[in-house]
Amino acid sequence: MDGVTISALGALVGLAFSIVFIFIKIPPVYSLMLGAIIGGLVGGASLVQTLAVMTGGAAGMMTTILRILAAGVLAGTLIKSGAADSIARTIIKALGEKRALLALALSTLVLTSVGVFVDIAVITVAPIALAVAKQAGYTKTGILIAMIGGGKAGNMLSPNPNAIAVSSAFELPLTTVMAAGIGPAIVGVILAFIIAKKLQHKGSPITDADLSADVKADDLPPFGKAIVGPVVAIACLALRPIAGINIDPMLALPLGGIVGALVMGKAKKTLEFATFGLGSMTGVAIILIGTGTVAGIIQTSELGDTIINVVQGLGIPMYLLAPIAGILMSAATASTTSGSTVAAQVFGPTLTAAGVSKVAAASMIHTGATVLDHLPHGSFFHATGGSVRMEFKERLGLIAFESLIGLALTLTSLILFGVIKLA
């Protein structure tokens, strides 16, 4: 809103209250909205001005939200048709029990890469992982860090909400953001496997009570058909950089889901798949509305300038602002999508104005948002721990290892796009 400036203190207070509200179990969207209101008022704006800034910030999220909702068709098809399960089982079977931890990391990497949410990817693989790990003598800690690490790596090169949000903020092709994640993803999945090997006998053992009653591959589509939907979607998105034909993710992702359902012989269930996928995306879309209100407050505040002045005062390169922003915002929201969205919306213009390329800024923000997106005030922490029936205290013990994998992703992007200037 023109003429409104909110103090940096107000923005920080708003963020702090949002985190507190999330911790005390107020729904995240309301937590973010309440935090935005408090931030605007503490920052010197009137209530009318604060609400106007919040509304403008939320409106700026609409393109991203529409693309995310459209992506539900592909995600729903992969999950409800059994395609995601089929892909995971094929990888695990191909690598065998001796390479089970690598198989688990690669399974979640592939599932997130083709468009499954990272927490859903872990939940999908978890029943198979528990059965394999029980036989091999691995612990819950070992298999969960393998799956989470693979998921984080795959999330960097997927058409998932986080990548959609970053590509929208920087006005980049979605495939460009996905391609920029290839290097970090390779490093991340290797480190995840190494850490999982070190932890394979640490923590609580897997008991018969932890095993799912149904881990059989009944009525699953064959791998060749299961992978068709994601391939079609990514091929459509790739037409822009390859042939200059721009097919928006709003069209490409649903098309992949529809073609996938047809190829698997489940065309009659397309509406069912789409409805399920829409349900899974609605929560993210609603949270992004709340995220937009906070982004509006931060964009209108002096917080961005304050952080920039600190970076310049310390004499460090401006491109370091990108991963720092991603890390800080992911810590505040405990979400890769919300963290990367706020960081890209708030600091993107400053980074590009300072001469940092859009691709470099997008990649470093995107990877930075994986460093602290797993904190306990977010849903990822609880969903992944619950997938292997892990106690809260043991789940807390994984945070440092998850952050280490996120840092590896970030440092790889930093070297490639900040130091070497690959983009």
Side-chain angles (χ1 to χ4, degrees):
M1 184 175 178
D2 294 339
V4 178
T5 301
I6 295 168
S7 69
L9 175 63
L12 288 173
V13 168
L15 275 173
F17 268 98
S18 294
I19 295 170
V20 171
F21 292 146
I22 292 172
F23 261 118
I24 62 176
K25 304 303 181 183
I26 295 176
V29 63
Y30 292 141
S31 297
L32 293 165
M33 291 171 67
L34 287 170
I37 291 173
I38 293 170
L41 295 176
V42 172
S46 68
L47 181 59
V48 172
Q49 290 172 328
T50 297
L51 293 176
V53 169
M54 290 170 59
T55 302
M61 293 290 179
M62 286 314 299
T63 299
T64 299
I65 289 171
L66 288 172
R67 289 172 175 167
I68 288 171
L69 292 176
V73 180
L74 176 60
T77 300
L78 285 169
I79 296 165
K80 289 295 286 182
S81 68
D85 201 345
S86 175
I87 292 169
R89 290 175 187 276
T90 300
I91 295 170
I92 293 169
K93 183 178 179 180
L95 291 178
E97 184 180 303
K98 290 183 178 179
R99 301 180 184 86
L101 292 174
L102 178 61
L104 296 179
L106 290 177
S107 295
T108 50
L109 181 148
V110 172
L111 290 185
T112 50
S113 296
V114 300
V116 179
F117 279 10
V118 61
D119 51 350
I120 299 299
V122 173
I123 291 169
T124 299
V125 176
I128 319 165
L130 287 166
V132 172
K134 172 92 168 40
Q135 188 172 345
Y138 300 145
T139 60
K140 294 179 182 179
T141 296
I143 62 170
L144 187 54
I145 201 66
M147 292 188 290
I148 288 174
K152 280 180 177 286
N155 216 18
M156 294 299 96
L157 37 87
S158 76
N160 270 340
N162 40 284
I164 292 173
V166 172
S167 66
S168 296
F170 284 99
E171 299 181 343
L172 288 168
L174 180 54
T175 45
T176 299
V177 175
M178 292 161 63
I182 293 174
I186 292 172
V187 173
V189 76
I190 291 173
L191 181 60
F193 172 63
I194 292 172
I195 293 174
K197 286 288 287 183
K198 296 289 185 182
L199 299 177
Q200 63 185 344
H201 300 304
K202 305 290 185 181
S204 59
I206 297 163
T207 65
D208 290 335
D210 295 317
L211 301 181
S212 172
D214 180 20
V215 293
K216 296 180 180 179
D218 294 334
D219 196 31
L220 294 180
F223 176 82
K225 292 183 178 181
I227 203 70
V228 168
V231 169
V232 169
I234 293 170
C236 288
L237 294 170
L239 288 175
R240 178 173 175 177
I242 293 173
I245 301 172
N246 184 15
I247 300 180
D248 194 275
M250 207 180 302
L251 296 175
L253 299 176
L255 180 61
I258 293 169
V259 172
L262 288 171
V263 170
M264 289 183 288
K266 300 187 178 185
K268 292 182 179 180
K269 294 187 176 182
T270 301
L271 183 58
E272 177 188 334
F273 297 160
T275 302
F276 176 84
L278 177 64
S280 66
M281 295 292 180
T282 300
V284 178
I286 291 173
I287 289 174
L288 279 182
I289 294 173
T291 299
T293 64
V294 171
I297 295 296
I298 296 175
Q299 284 174 317
T300 312
S301 77
E302 298 171 334
L303 180 60
D305 291 336
T306 301
I307 294 176
I308 291 164
N309 290 337
V310 170
V311 170
Q312 291 176 333
L314 293 173
I316 59 179
M318 182 57 73
Y319 62 76
L320 285 176
L321 176 62
I324 290 171
I327 292 169
L328 291 177
M329 293 303 105
S330 71
T333 60
S335 164
T336 316
T337 301
S338 295
S340 55
T341 301
V342 175
Q345 294 276 357
V346 174
F347 298 101
T350 301
L351 288 163
T352 52
V356 181
S357 76
K358 288 184 177 182
V359 176
S363 177
M364 288 186 281
I365 285 175
H366 197 196
T367 52
T370 67
V371 176
L372 293 170
D373 61 342
H374 43 264
L375 293 179
H377 58 283
S379 61
F380 179 81
F381 174 93
H382 303 282
T384 51
S387 71
V388 294
R389 300 170 178 81
M390 181 177 283
E391 295 294 330
F392 182 81
K393 184 176 180 181
E394 185 175 0
R395 180 66 184 86
L396 280 175
L398 267 66
I399 288 178
F401 300 108
E402 294 171 273
S403 296
L404 185 60
I405 293 168
L407 281 172
L409 295 169
T410 306
L411 289 173
T412 304
S413 177
L414 187 63
I415 292 169
L416 291 176
F417 299 106
V419 178
I420 300 176
K421 299 186 186 301
L422 193 62

